[in-house]
Amino acid sequence: LGSVREVMSSPAETVPPDTTVSAASHQLIAHDIGSLVVGEESLEGIVTKTDLLGVIAADGDPDTTAVSTVVSRPVVTVGPDTQLTTAAGTMDDHDIKHLVVVEEAPVGIVTTTDITHALASAKRTNASSFRAVIGTGVSPSAPSAPGCRGGVGE
């Protein structure tokens, strides 16, 4: 499938820990993303749409609540050269949907959606390559050779 570098969103959008939930929500909407890295000097955590919605669901005030109070820790990270299958396994192991991609500092975010799109693209590419190789123009239900039946389940 390839590496995280090929599909990650980069650069990672960051906010300081004292950013309000309201301001963080606006940043998510403005960039059409689902998570923010918290901490500009150091990696303090990650905050997702779900984390921010939790404040509202708990009757918190998004205009006064800092993201530092709802940040997810510890941050699960991968390197940009991590294979997508490994990243998917890491997400599954930790039951998360976003991974912070780091080199010396955060360089991006990879999500389950990014990996799903890569998988779907690879499947389409493989199917197209297969069709190009066989290129006979014979439909799957037509006989493929004298005496052979080509229909599925026949």
Side-chain angles (χ1 to χ4, degrees):
L1 276 181
S3 71
V4 166
R5 183 184 310 276
E6 297 167 29
V7 301
M8 70 182 185
S9 298
S10 183
E13 292 294 326
T14 63
V15 293
D18 61 348
T19 301
T20 65
V21 166
S22 180
S25 298
H26 287 289
Q27 190 168 344
L28 289 175
I29 292 167
H31 294 283
D32 192 27
I33 55 177
S35 60
L36 297 165
V37 173
V38 178
E40 295 178 313
E41 305 270 328
S42 64
L43 180 56
E44 296 185 31
I46 184 171
V47 66
T48 67
K49 287 179 184 178
T50 303
D51 299 327
L52 301 179
L53 286 171
V55 171
I56 295 166
D59 293 326
D61 183 355
D63 292 321
T64 60
T65 304
V67 295
S68 61
T69 64
V70 296
V71 67
S72 297
R73 293 183 185 106
V75 182
V76 181
T77 64
V78 293
D81 297 319
T82 302
Q83 290 299 301
L84 290 175
T85 52
T86 301
T90 300
M91 289 177 175
D92 187 47
D93 291 345
H94 294 277
D95 195 27
I96 57 175
K97 297 177 184 168
H98 303 84
L99 287 170
V100 178
V101 183
V102 296
E103 285 183 301
E104 291 182 22
V107 294
I109 299 278
V110 65
T111 68
T112 53
T113 301
D114 297 328
I115 294 172
T116 301
H117 286 194
L119 178 60
S121 178
K123 292 273 188 199
R124 283 191 298 274
T125 299
N126 288 342
S128 295
S129 297
F130 178 73
R131 284 191 292 277
V133 168
I134 62 169
T136 62
V138 176
S139 73
S141 61
S144 57
C148 294
R149 298 180 68 157
V152 175
E154 294 183 46

